[in-house]
Coordinates of all heavy atoms in Angstrom, one line a residue:
M1 N -23.7 -34.0 2.8 CA -24.4 -35.3 3.0 C -25.7 -34.9 3.6 O -25.9 -34.1 4.4 CB -23.5 -36.1 4.0 CG -24.2 -37.4 4.4 SD -23.1 -38.5 5.2 CE -22.3 -37.5 6.4
T2 N -26.8 -35.7 3.1 CA -28.1 -35.4 3.6 C -28.3 -36.1 5.0 O -27.5 -37.0 5.4 CB -29.1 -36.0 2.7 OG1 -29.0 -37.4 2.7 CG2 -29.0 -35.5 1.3
Q3 N -29.2 -35.6 5.7 CA -29.5 -36.1 7.1 C -29.9 -37.5 7.0 O -29.7 -38.3 8.0 CB -30.6 -35.2 7.7 CG -30.8 -35.4 9.2 CD -31.7 -34.4 9.7 OE1 -32.6 -33.9 9.1 NE2 -31.6 -34.1 11.0
A4 N -30.5 -38.0 5.9 CA -31.0 -39.4 5.8 C -29.9 -40.4 5.5 O -30.2 -41.5 5.3 CB -32.1 -39.4 4.8
S5 N -28.7 -39.9 5.3 CA -27.6 -40.9 4.9 C -27.5 -42.0 5.8 O -27.8 -41.9 7.0 CB -26.3 -40.1 4.8 OG -26.3 -39.2 3.8
S6 N -27.2 -43.2 5.2 CA -27.0 -44.4 6.0 C -25.6 -45.0 5.7 O -25.2 -44.9 4.6 CB -28.1 -45.4 5.6 OG -29.4 -45.0 6.0
K7 N -25.0 -45.6 6.7 CA -23.7 -46.1 6.6 C -23.7 -47.6 7.0 O -24.4 -48.0 7.9 CB -22.8 -45.3 7.5 CG -21.3 -45.7 7.4 CD -20.5 -44.8 8.2 CE -19.1 -44.6 7.8 NZ -18.8 -44.4 6.4
I8 N -22.9 -48.4 6.3 CA -22.6 -49.7 6.7 C -21.2 -49.9 7.0 O -20.3 -49.5 6.2 CB -23.1 -50.7 5.7 CG1 -24.5 -50.7 5.4 CG2 -22.7 -52.2 6.1 CD1 -25.0 -51.5 4.2
I9 N -20.9 -50.5 8.2 CA -19.5 -50.9 8.5 C -19.5 -52.4 8.6 O -20.3 -52.9 9.4 CB -19.0 -50.2 9.8 CG1 -19.0 -48.7 9.7 CG2 -17.6 -50.8 10.2 CD1 -17.9 -48.1 8.8
A10 N -18.7 -53.1 7.8 CA -18.7 -54.5 7.9 C -17.2 -54.9 8.2 O -16.3 -54.4 7.5 CB -19.2 -55.2 6.7
V11 N -17.0 -55.8 9.1 CA -15.7 -56.4 9.4 C -15.7 -57.8 9.0 O -16.6 -58.6 9.4 CB -15.4 -56.2 10.9 CG1 -14.0 -56.9 11.2 CG2 -15.4 -54.8 11.3
L12 N -14.8 -58.2 8.1 CA -14.7 -59.5 7.6 C -13.3 -60.1 8.0 O -12.3 -59.5 7.7 CB -14.9 -59.6 6.1 CG -16.2 -59.1 5.7 CD1 -16.1 -57.6 5.1 CD2 -16.8 -60.0 4.6
T13 N -13.3 -61.2 8.7 CA -12.0 -61.9 9.0 C -11.9 -63.2 8.3 O -12.7 -64.1 8.4 CB -11.9 -62.1 10.5 OG1 -12.1 -60.9 11.2 CG2 -10.6 -62.7 10.9
A14 N -10.9 -63.2 7.4 CA -10.8 -64.4 6.5 C -10.5 -65.7 7.3 O -9.8 -65.6 8.3 CB -9.7 -64.2 5.5
H15 N -11.1 -66.7 6.8 CA -10.8 -68.1 7.4 C -9.3 -68.4 6.9 O -8.8 -67.8 6.0 CB -11.7 -69.1 6.8 CG -13.2 -68.9 7.2 ND1 -13.6 -68.6 8.5 CD2 -14.3 -69.0 6.4 CE1 -14.9 -68.5 8.5 NE2 -15.4 -68.7 7.3
P16 N -8.7 -69.3 7.7 CA -7.3 -69.6 7.4 C -7.1 -70.0 5.9 O -7.9 -70.8 5.3 CB -7.0 -70.8 8.3 CG -7.9 -70.6 9.5 CD -9.1 -70.0 8.9
G17 N -6.2 -69.4 5.2 CA -5.9 -69.6 3.8 C -6.8 -69.0 2.8 O -6.6 -69.2 1.6
K18 N -7.7 -68.1 3.3 CA -8.7 -67.5 2.4 C -8.5 -66.0 2.3 O -9.3 -65.4 1.6 CB -10.1 -67.8 2.9 CG -10.5 -69.3 3.0 CD -10.6 -69.9 1.6 CE -11.1 -71.3 1.6 NZ -11.4 -71.8 0.3
A19 N -7.5 -65.4 2.9 CA -7.4 -64.0 2.8 C -7.2 -63.4 1.4 O -7.9 -62.4 1.1 CB -6.2 -63.5 3.7
A20 N -6.4 -64.0 0.6 CA -6.3 -63.5 -0.8 C -7.6 -63.6 -1.6 O -7.9 -62.7 -2.3 CB -5.2 -64.3 -1.5
E21 N -8.3 -64.7 -1.4 CA -9.6 -64.9 -2.1 C -10.6 -63.8 -1.6 O -11.3 -63.2 -2.4 CB -10.1 -66.3 -1.9 CG -11.2 -66.6 -2.9 CD -11.6 -68.1 -2.7 OE1 -10.9 -68.9 -2.1 OE2 -12.7 -68.4 -3.3
L22 N -10.6 -63.6 -0.3 CA -11.5 -62.6 0.2 C -11.1 -61.2 -0.3 O -12.0 -60.4 -0.7 CB -11.4 -62.6 1.8 CG -12.3 -61.5 2.5 CD1 -13.8 -61.7 2.2 CD2 -12.0 -61.6 4.0
R23 N -9.9 -60.9 -0.3 CA -9.4 -59.6 -0.8 C -9.8 -59.4 -2.3 O -10.3 -58.3 -2.6 CB -7.9 -59.5 -0.7 CG -7.4 -58.1 -1.2 CD -5.8 -58.1 -1.1 NE -5.3 -56.9 -1.6 CZ -4.7 -56.0 -0.8 NH1 -4.4 -56.3 0.4 NH2 -4.2 -54.9 -1.3
A24 N -9.7 -60.4 -3.1 CA -10.1 -60.3 -4.5 C -11.6 -60.1 -4.6 O -12.0 -59.3 -5.5 CB -9.6 -61.6 -5.2
L25 N -12.3 -60.8 -3.8 CA -13.8 -60.7 -3.9 C -14.2 -59.2 -3.5 O -15.0 -58.6 -4.2 CB -14.5 -61.6 -2.9 CG -16.0 -61.5 -2.8 CD1 -16.7 -61.9 -4.1 CD2 -16.5 -62.4 -1.7
L26 N -13.6 -58.7 -2.4 CA -14.0 -57.4 -2.0 C -13.5 -56.3 -3.0 O -14.3 -55.4 -3.4 CB -13.4 -57.1 -0.6 CG -13.8 -58.0 0.5 CD1 -13.1 -57.7 1.8 CD2 -15.3 -57.9 0.7
A27 N -12.3 -56.4 -3.5 CA -11.8 -55.5 -4.5 C -12.7 -55.5 -5.8 O -13.0 -54.5 -6.4 CB -10.4 -55.8 -4.9
G28 N -13.1 -56.7 -6.2 CA -14.0 -56.9 -7.3 C -15.4 -56.3 -7.2 O -16.0 -55.9 -8.1
M29 N -15.8 -56.2 -5.9 CA -17.2 -55.6 -5.6 C -17.1 -54.1 -5.8 O -18.2 -53.5 -6.1 CB -17.6 -55.9 -4.2 CG -18.0 -57.4 -4.0 SD -19.7 -57.6 -4.5 CE -20.6 -56.6 -3.3
A30 N -16.0 -53.5 -5.5 CA -15.9 -52.0 -5.4 C -16.5 -51.3 -6.6 O -17.4 -50.4 -6.5 CB -14.5 -51.6 -5.2
P31 N -16.1 -51.6 -7.9 CA -16.7 -50.8 -9.0 C -18.2 -51.0 -9.2 O -18.9 -50.1 -9.5 CB -15.9 -51.3 -10.2 CG -15.2 -52.6 -9.8 CD -15.1 -52.5 -8.3
H32 N -18.7 -52.2 -8.9 CA -20.1 -52.4 -9.0 C -20.9 -51.7 -7.9 O -21.9 -51.0 -8.3 CB -20.4 -53.9 -8.8 CG -19.8 -54.8 -9.8 ND1 -20.1 -54.8 -11.2 CD2 -18.7 -55.7 -9.7 CE1 -19.4 -55.7 -11.8 NE2 -18.5 -56.2 -11.0
C33 N -20.4 -51.7 -6.7 CA -21.1 -51.0 -5.6 C -21.1 -49.5 -5.8 O -22.0 -48.8 -5.6 CB -20.5 -51.4 -4.3 SG -20.8 -53.1 -3.9
R34 N -19.9 -49.0 -6.2 CA -19.7 -47.5 -6.4 C -20.6 -47.0 -7.6 O -21.0 -45.8 -7.6 CB -18.3 -47.2 -6.7 CG -17.4 -47.4 -5.5 CD -16.0 -47.2 -5.8 NE -15.1 -47.4 -4.6 CZ -13.9 -47.8 -4.6 NH1 -13.3 -48.0 -5.8 NH2 -13.2 -48.0 -3.5
A35 N -21.0 -47.9 -8.5 CA -21.8 -47.5 -9.6 C -23.3 -47.5 -9.3 O -24.1 -47.0 -10.1 CB -21.6 -48.4 -10.8
E36 N -23.7 -48.0 -8.1 CA -25.1 -48.0 -7.8 C -25.6 -46.5 -7.6 O -24.9 -45.7 -7.0 CB -25.3 -48.8 -6.5 CG -25.0 -50.3 -6.6 CD -25.0 -51.0 -5.3 OE1 -25.6 -50.5 -4.3 OE2 -24.4 -52.0 -5.2
P37 N -26.8 -46.2 -8.0 CA -27.3 -44.9 -7.9 C -27.3 -44.3 -6.5 O -27.1 -43.1 -6.4 CB -28.8 -45.0 -8.5 CG -28.8 -46.3 -9.2 CD -27.8 -47.2 -8.7
G38 N -27.6 -45.0 -5.5 CA -27.7 -44.5 -4.1 C -26.4 -44.6 -3.3 O -26.4 -44.2 -2.2
N39 N -25.4 -45.1 -4.0 CA -24.1 -45.2 -3.3 C -23.3 -43.9 -3.3 O -23.1 -43.3 -4.3 CB -23.2 -46.3 -3.9 CG -21.9 -46.5 -3.1 OD1 -20.9 -45.9 -3.4 ND2 -22.0 -47.3 -2.1
L40 N -22.9 -43.5 -2.1 CA -22.0 -42.3 -2.0 C -20.6 -42.6 -1.8 O -19.7 -41.8 -2.1 CB -22.5 -41.4 -0.9 CG -24.0 -41.0 -1.0 CD1 -24.4 -40.2 0.3 CD2 -24.2 -40.1 -2.2
R41 N -20.3 -43.8 -1.2 CA -18.9 -44.2 -1.0 C -18.9 -45.7 -0.7 O -19.8 -46.2 -0.1 CB -18.4 -43.4 0.2 CG -17.0 -43.6 0.5 CD -16.4 -42.5 1.3 NE -14.9 -42.6 1.3 CZ -14.1 -41.9 0.6 NH1 -14.6 -40.9 -0.1 NH2 -12.8 -42.1 0.6
W42 N -17.8 -46.4 -1.1 CA -17.7 -47.8 -0.9 C -16.2 -48.1 -0.9 O -15.5 -48.1 -1.9 CB -18.4 -48.6 -2.0 CG -18.8 -50.0 -1.6 CD1 -20.0 -50.4 -1.0 CD2 -18.0 -51.2 -1.6 NE1 -20.0 -51.7 -0.7 CE2 -18.8 -52.2 -1.1 CE3 -16.7 -51.4 -2.1 CZ2 -18.3 -53.5 -1.0 CZ3 -16.2 -52.7 -2.0 CH2 -17.0 -53.8 -1.5
D43 N -15.6 -48.3 0.3 CA -14.2 -48.4 0.5 C -13.9 -49.7 1.2 O -14.6 -50.2 2.1 CB -13.6 -47.3 1.3 CG -13.8 -45.9 0.6 OD1 -13.7 -45.9 -0.7 OD2 -14.1 -44.9 1.3
V44 N -12.7 -50.3 0.8 CA -12.2 -51.5 1.5 C -10.9 -51.2 2.2 O -10.0 -50.6 1.6 CB -12.0 -52.7 0.5 CG1 -11.4 -53.9 1.2 CG2 -13.2 -53.0 -0.4
W45 N -10.8 -51.5 3.5 CA -9.6 -51.3 4.3 C -9.1 -52.6 4.8 O -9.9 -53.6 5.0 CB -10.0 -50.4 5.5 CG -10.5 -49.1 5.1 CD1 -11.7 -48.7 4.7 CD2 -9.7 -47.9 5.1 NE1 -11.8 -47.3 4.5 CE2 -10.6 -46.8 4.7 CE3 -8.4 -47.6 5.3 CZ2 -10.1 -45.5 4.5 CZ3 -7.9 -46.3 5.2 CH2 -8.8 -45.2 4.8
Q46 N -7.8 -52.7 4.9 CA -7.2 -53.9 5.5 C -6.5 -53.5 6.8 O -5.8 -52.5 6.9 CB -6.2 -54.5 4.5 CG -5.5 -55.8 5.0 CD -4.6 -56.4 4.0 OE1 -4.0 -55.7 3.1 NE2 -4.4 -57.7 4.1
D47 N -6.7 -54.4 7.8 CA -6.0 -54.2 9.1 C -4.5 -54.3 9.0 O -4.0 -55.3 8.4 CB -6.6 -55.2 10.1 CG -6.2 -55.0 11.5 OD1 -5.0 -54.7 11.8 OD2 -7.0 -55.1 12.4
R48 N -3.8 -53.3 9.4 CA -2.3 -53.4 9.3 C -1.7 -54.5 10.1 O -0.6 -55.0 9.8 CB -1.7 -52.0 9.7 CG -1.9 -50.9 8.8 CD -1.2 -49.7 9.2 NE -1.3 -48.6 8.2 CZ -0.9 -47.4 8.4 NH1 -0.2 -47.1 9.5 NH2 -1.0 -46.5 7.5
V49 N -2.3 -54.8 11.3 CA -1.7 -55.8 12.2 C -2.2 -57.2 11.8 O -1.4 -58.1 11.8 CB -2.0 -55.4 13.7 CG1 -1.5 -56.5 14.6 CG2 -1.4 -54.1 14.0
H50 N -3.5 -57.3 11.6 CA -4.1 -58.6 11.3 C -4.5 -58.5 9.8 O -5.7 -58.2 9.5 CB -5.3 -58.8 12.2 CG -5.0 -58.8 13.6 ND1 -4.4 -59.9 14.2 CD2 -5.1 -57.9 14.6 CE1 -4.1 -59.6 15.5 NE2 -4.6 -58.4 15.7
G51 N -3.6 -58.9 8.9 CA -3.8 -58.8 7.5 C -5.0 -59.6 6.9 O -5.4 -59.4 5.8
E52 N -5.5 -60.5 7.7 CA -6.7 -61.3 7.3 C -8.0 -60.6 7.6 O -9.1 -61.1 7.2 CB -6.7 -62.7 7.9 CG -7.0 -62.7 9.4 CD -5.9 -62.3 10.4 OE1 -4.8 -62.0 9.9 OE2 -6.2 -62.3 11.6
R53 N -7.9 -59.4 8.2 CA -9.1 -58.7 8.6 C -9.3 -57.5 7.6 O -8.4 -56.7 7.4 CB -9.0 -58.2 10.0 CG -10.3 -57.5 10.5 CD -10.2 -57.0 11.9 NE -9.9 -58.1 12.8 CZ -9.1 -58.0 13.9 NH1 -8.6 -56.9 14.2 NH2 -8.9 -59.1 14.6
Y54 N -10.5 -57.4 7.1 CA -10.9 -56.3 6.2 C -12.1 -55.6 6.7 O -13.0 -56.2 7.4 CB -11.2 -56.9 4.8 CG -10.0 -57.4 4.1 CD1 -9.6 -58.8 4.3 CD2 -9.2 -56.6 3.3 CE1 -8.5 -59.3 3.7 CE2 -8.1 -57.2 2.7 CZ -7.7 -58.5 2.9 OH -6.6 -59.0 2.3
V55 N -12.2 -54.3 6.4 CA -13.3 -53.5 6.8 C -13.9 -52.8 5.6 O -13.2 -52.2 4.8 CB -12.9 -52.4 7.8 CG1 -14.0 -51.5 8.2 CG2 -12.3 -53.0 9.1
L56 N -15.2 -53.0 5.4 CA -16.0 -52.3 4.4 C -16.6 -51.1 5.0 O -17.2 -51.1 6.1 CB -17.1 -53.2 3.8 CG -16.6 -54.4 3.1 CD1 -17.9 -55.2 2.6 CD2 -15.7 -54.1 2.0
D57 N -16.3 -49.9 4.4 CA -16.9 -48.6 4.8 C -17.7 -48.1 3.7 O -17.3 -47.7 2.7 CB -15.7 -47.7 5.1 CG -16.1 -46.4 5.7 OD1 -17.3 -46.2 6.0 OD2 -15.3 -45.5 5.8
E58 N -19.1 -48.2 3.9 CA -20.0 -47.9 2.9 C -20.9 -46.8 3.3 O -21.3 -46.7 4.4 CB -20.9 -49.2 2.6 CG -20.1 -50.4 2.3 CD -21.0 -51.7 2.3 OE1 -22.1 -51.6 1.7 OE2 -20.6 -52.7 2.8
L59 N -21.2 -45.9 2.3 CA -22.1 -44.8 2.6 C -23.2 -44.7 1.5 O -22.8 -44.8 0.3 CB -21.4 -43.5 2.7 CG -22.2 -42.2 3.1 CD1 -22.7 -42.4 4.5 CD2 -21.3 -41.0 3.0
Y60 N -24.5 -44.6 1.9 CA -25.6 -44.6 1.0 C -26.4 -43.4 1.2 O -26.5 -42.9 2.3 CB -26.4 -45.9 1.2 CG -25.6 -47.1 0.8 CD1 -24.9 -47.8 1.7 CD2 -25.6 -47.6 -0.5 CE1 -24.1 -48.9 1.4 CE2 -24.9 -48.7 -0.9 CZ -24.1 -49.4 0.1 OH -23.4 -50.5 -0.3
L61 N -27.2 -43.0 0.2 CA -28.0 -41.9 0.3 C -29.1 -42.0 1.4 O -29.4 -41.1 2.1 CB -28.7 -41.7 -1.1 CG -29.6 -40.5 -1.3 CD1 -28.7 -39.2 -1.1 CD2 -30.2 -40.5 -2.7
D62 N -29.6 -43.2 1.5 CA -30.7 -43.5 2.5 C -30.9 -45.0 2.7 O -30.2 -45.8 2.0 CB -32.0 -42.8 2.1 CG -32.5 -43.2 0.7 OD1 -32.1 -44.2 0.2 OD2 -33.2 -42.3 0.1
A63 N -31.8 -45.4 3.5 CA -32.1 -46.8 3.8 C -32.6 -47.5 2.5 O -32.3 -48.7 2.3 CB -33.1 -46.9 4.9
A64 N -33.3 -46.8 1.7 CA -33.8 -47.4 0.4 C -32.6 -47.8 -0.5 O -32.7 -48.8 -1.2 CB -34.8 -46.5 -0.3
A65 N -31.6 -47.0 -0.5 CA -30.4 -47.3 -1.3 C -29.7 -48.6 -0.8 O -29.2 -49.3 -1.6 CB -29.5 -46.1 -1.3
I66 N -29.7 -48.7 0.5 CA -29.1 -50.0 1.1 C -30.0 -51.2 0.7 O -29.4 -52.2 0.3 CB -29.0 -49.9 2.7 CG1 -28.0 -48.9 3.1 CG2 -28.7 -51.3 3.3 CD1 -27.9 -48.6 4.5
E67 N -31.3 -51.1 0.7 CA -32.1 -52.2 0.3 C -31.9 -52.5 -1.2 O -31.9 -53.6 -1.6 CB -33.6 -51.9 0.6 CG -33.9 -51.9 2.1 CD -33.4 -53.1 2.8 OE1 -33.6 -54.2 2.3 OE2 -32.7 -53.0 3.9
A68 N -31.8 -51.4 -2.0 CA -31.5 -51.7 -3.4 C -30.2 -52.3 -3.6 O -30.0 -53.2 -4.4 CB -31.6 -50.3 -4.2
H69 N -29.2 -51.9 -2.8 CA -27.8 -52.6 -2.9 C -27.9 -54.1 -2.6 O -27.4 -54.9 -3.3 CB -26.9 -51.9 -1.9 CG -25.7 -52.6 -1.6 ND1 -24.7 -52.8 -2.5 CD2 -25.3 -53.2 -0.4 CE1 -23.7 -53.4 -1.9 NE2 -24.0 -53.7 -0.6
R70 N -28.7 -54.4 -1.6 CA -28.8 -55.8 -1.2 C -29.6 -56.7 -2.2 O -29.4 -57.9 -2.1 CB -29.5 -55.9 0.2 CG -28.6 -55.4 1.3 CD -29.2 -55.4 2.6 NE -28.3 -55.1 3.7 CZ -28.6 -54.8 4.9 NH1 -29.9 -54.7 5.3 NH2 -27.7 -54.5 5.8
R71 N -30.3 -56.1 -3.1 CA -31.0 -56.8 -4.1 C -30.2 -57.0 -5.4 O -30.6 -57.7 -6.3 CB -32.3 -56.1 -4.4 CG -33.4 -56.2 -3.3 CD -34.7 -55.7 -3.8 NE -34.7 -54.4 -4.3 CZ -35.0 -53.3 -3.5 NH1 -35.2 -53.4 -2.2 NH2 -35.0 -52.1 -4.0
T72 N -29.0 -56.3 -5.5 CA -28.2 -56.4 -6.7 C -27.6 -57.8 -6.9 O -27.3 -58.5 -5.9 CB -27.1 -55.4 -6.7 OG1 -26.2 -55.7 -5.7 CG2 -27.6 -54.0 -6.7
P73 N -27.4 -58.3 -8.1 CA -26.8 -59.6 -8.3 C -25.4 -59.6 -7.7 O -25.0 -60.7 -7.2 CB -26.7 -59.7 -9.9 CG -27.8 -58.8 -10.4 CD -27.9 -57.7 -9.4
H74 N -24.6 -58.6 -7.8 CA -23.2 -58.6 -7.2 C -23.3 -58.8 -5.7 O -22.4 -59.5 -5.2 CB -22.4 -57.4 -7.7 CG -22.9 -56.1 -7.4 ND1 -23.7 -55.4 -8.3 CD2 -22.8 -55.3 -6.3 CE1 -24.1 -54.3 -7.8 NE2 -23.6 -54.2 -6.6
Y75 N -24.2 -58.1 -5.1 CA -24.3 -58.3 -3.6 C -24.8 -59.7 -3.3 O -24.2 -60.4 -2.4 CB -25.3 -57.3 -3.0 CG -25.4 -57.5 -1.5 CD1 -24.5 -57.0 -0.6 CD2 -26.4 -58.3 -1.0 CE1 -24.6 -57.2 0.8 CE2 -26.6 -58.5 0.4 CZ -25.6 -58.0 1.2 OH -25.7 -58.3 2.6
Q76 N -25.7 -60.2 -4.0 CA -26.2 -61.6 -3.7 C -25.1 -62.6 -3.9 O -25.0 -63.5 -3.1 CB -27.4 -61.9 -4.7 CG -28.6 -61.1 -4.4 CD -29.3 -61.4 -3.0 OE1 -29.4 -62.5 -2.7 NE2 -29.7 -60.3 -2.3
A77 N -24.3 -62.5 -4.9 CA -23.2 -63.4 -5.2 C -22.1 -63.3 -4.0 O -21.6 -64.3 -3.5 CB -22.5 -63.1 -6.5
Y78 N -21.8 -62.0 -3.6 CA -20.9 -61.8 -2.5 C -21.4 -62.4 -1.3 O -20.7 -63.2 -0.6 CB -20.7 -60.3 -2.4 CG -20.4 -59.8 -1.0 CD1 -19.1 -59.7 -0.5 CD2 -21.5 -59.4 -0.1 CE1 -18.9 -59.3 0.8 CE2 -21.2 -58.9 1.2 CZ -19.9 -58.9 1.6 OH -19.6 -58.5 2.9
F79 N -22.7 -62.2 -0.9 CA -23.2 -62.7 0.3 C -23.3 -64.2 0.4 O -23.1 -64.8 1.4 CB -24.6 -62.1 0.5 CG -25.1 -62.1 1.9 CD1 -24.5 -61.3 2.9 CD2 -26.1 -63.0 2.3 CE1 -25.0 -61.4 4.2 CE2 -26.6 -63.0 3.6 CZ -26.0 -62.2 4.6
A80 N -23.5 -64.8 -0.8 CA -23.5 -66.3 -0.8 C -22.1 -66.9 -0.7 O -21.9 -68.0 -0.1 CB -24.1 -66.7 -2.2
K81 N -21.1 -66.1 -1.1 CA -19.7 -66.6 -1.0 C -19.0 -66.4 0.3 O -18.1 -67.1 0.7 CB -18.9 -65.9 -2.1 CG -17.5 -66.3 -2.3 CD -17.4 -67.4 -3.4 CE -16.0 -67.7 -3.7 NZ -15.8 -69.1 -4.1
I82 N -19.4 -65.3 1.0 CA -18.8 -65.0 2.3 C -18.7 -66.1 3.3 O -17.6 -66.3 3.9 CB -19.4 -63.7 2.9 CG1 -19.0 -62.5 2.1 CG2 -19.1 -63.5 4.4 CD1 -17.5 -62.2 2.0
P83 N -19.7 -66.9 3.6 CA -19.5 -67.9 4.6 C -18.4 -68.9 4.4 O -17.8 -69.3 5.4 CB -20.9 -68.7 4.6 CG -21.9 -67.7 4.1 CD -21.1 -66.9 3.0
E84 N -18.0 -69.2 3.2 CA -16.9 -70.0 3.0 C -15.5 -69.3 3.1 O -14.5 -69.9 3.3 CB -17.0 -70.8 1.6 CG -16.7 -69.9 0.4 CD -16.9 -70.6 -0.9 OE1 -18.0 -71.1 -1.1 OE2 -15.9 -70.7 -1.6
L85 N -15.6 -68.0 3.0 CA -14.3 -67.2 3.1 C -14.0 -66.5 4.4 O -12.8 -66.3 4.7 CB -14.4 -66.1 2.0 CG -14.5 -66.6 0.5 CD1 -14.5 -65.3 -0.4 CD2 -13.4 -67.5 0.2
A86 N -15.0 -66.1 5.1 CA -14.8 -65.3 6.3 C -15.9 -65.3 7.3 O -17.0 -65.6 7.0 CB -14.5 -63.8 5.8
D87 N -15.6 -64.8 8.5 CA -16.6 -64.4 9.5 C -16.9 -63.0 9.2 O -16.0 -62.2 8.9 CB -16.0 -64.6 10.9 CG -15.8 -66.0 11.3 OD1 -16.6 -66.9 10.9 OD2 -14.8 -66.3 12.0
R88 N -18.2 -62.6 9.3 CA -18.6 -61.3 9.0 C -19.5 -60.7 10.0 O -20.4 -61.4 10.5 CB -19.4 -61.3 7.6 CG -19.9 -60.0 7.2 CD -20.7 -60.2 5.9 NE -21.4 -59.0 5.4 CZ -22.6 -58.6 5.8 NH1 -23.3 -59.4 6.6 NH2 -23.1 -57.5 5.3
T89 N -19.2 -59.5 10.4 CA -20.1 -58.7 11.3 C -20.3 -57.4 10.7 O -19.4 -56.7 10.1 CB -19.4 -58.5 12.7 OG1 -19.0 -59.7 13.3 CG2 -20.3 -57.7 13.6
A90 N -21.6 -56.9 10.6 CA -21.9 -55.7 10.0 C -22.9 -54.9 10.8 O -23.7 -55.4 11.5 CB -22.6 -56.0 8.6
W91 N -22.7 -53.6 10.7 CA -23.6 -52.6 11.4 C -24.2 -51.6 10.4 O -23.4 -51.1 9.5 CB -22.9 -51.8 12.5 CG -22.3 -52.7 13.5 CD1 -22.9 -53.1 14.7 CD2 -20.9 -53.2 13.6 NE1 -22.0 -53.8 15.4 CE2 -20.8 -53.9 14.8 CE3 -19.8 -53.1 12.7 CZ2 -19.6 -54.6 15.1 CZ3 -18.7 -53.8 13.0 CH2 -18.6 -54.5 14.2
V92 N -25.5 -51.4 10.4 CA -26.1 -50.4 9.6 C -26.4 -49.2 10.5 O -27.0 -49.3 11.5 CB -27.4 -50.9 9.0 CG1 -28.1 -49.8 8.1 CG2 -27.2 -52.1 8.1
L93 N -25.8 -48.0 10.1 CA -25.8 -46.9 11.0 C -26.5 -45.7 10.4 O -26.5 -45.5 9.2 CB -24.4 -46.5 11.3 CG -23.4 -47.6 11.7 CD1 -22.0 -47.1 11.7 CD2 -23.8 -48.0 13.1
E94 N -27.2 -44.9 11.2 CA -27.8 -43.7 10.8 C -27.0 -42.5 11.3 O -26.5 -42.5 12.4 CB -29.3 -43.6 11.3 CG -30.2 -44.7 10.7 CD -30.4 -44.6 9.2 OE1 -30.4 -43.5 8.7 OE2 -30.5 -45.6 8.6
A95 N -26.9 -41.5 10.5 CA -26.1 -40.3 10.9 C -26.8 -39.6 12.1 O -28.0 -39.4 12.1 CB -26.0 -39.3 9.7
V96 N -26.0 -39.2 13.0 CA -26.4 -38.4 14.2 C -25.7 -37.0 14.1 O -26.4 -36.0 14.0 CB -26.1 -39.1 15.5 CG1 -26.4 -38.1 16.7 CG2 -26.8 -40.4 15.6
E97 N -24.4 -37.0 14.1 CA -23.7 -35.8 14.0 C -22.5 -36.1 13.1 O -21.5 -36.7 13.6 CB -23.2 -35.3 15.3 CG -22.4 -34.0 15.3 CD -23.1 -32.8 14.7 OE1 -24.3 -32.7 14.9 OE2 -22.4 -32.0 14.1
V98 N -22.6 -35.8 11.8 CA -21.6 -36.1 10.8 C -21.1 -34.9 10.1 O -21.9 -34.1 9.7 CB -22.1 -37.2 9.8 CG1 -21.1 -37.6 8.8 CG2 -22.6 -38.4 10.6
R99 N -19.9 -34.8 9.8 CA -19.3 -33.7 9.1 C -19.0 -34.0 7.7 O -18.6 -35.0 7.3 CB -18.0 -33.2 9.8 CG -17.6 -31.9 9.2 CD -16.5 -31.4 10.1 NE -16.3 -30.0 9.7 CZ -15.2 -29.4 9.9 NH1 -14.2 -30.0 10.5 NH2 -15.1 -28.2 9.5

């Protein structure tokens, strides 16, 4: 991994009755995001205790790749849909000491 790598961790908690729809949206995003030139990893995790909570674990080549990701049609559609499905918190991180 290069020193310039950037990571996004996003936690999404589905609104009541929306967990299945959120899961389908996130799973449907995976192949599109993984195909982006600057994407190194794009994984969806589900909380074992709170099944309505999902975590996106994303790794990009650099900050420019994140910006390119955010301009894609699939990201724009996802971002527009999220408010009706879930509460979302996201952090964009820079590598400090990563193996």
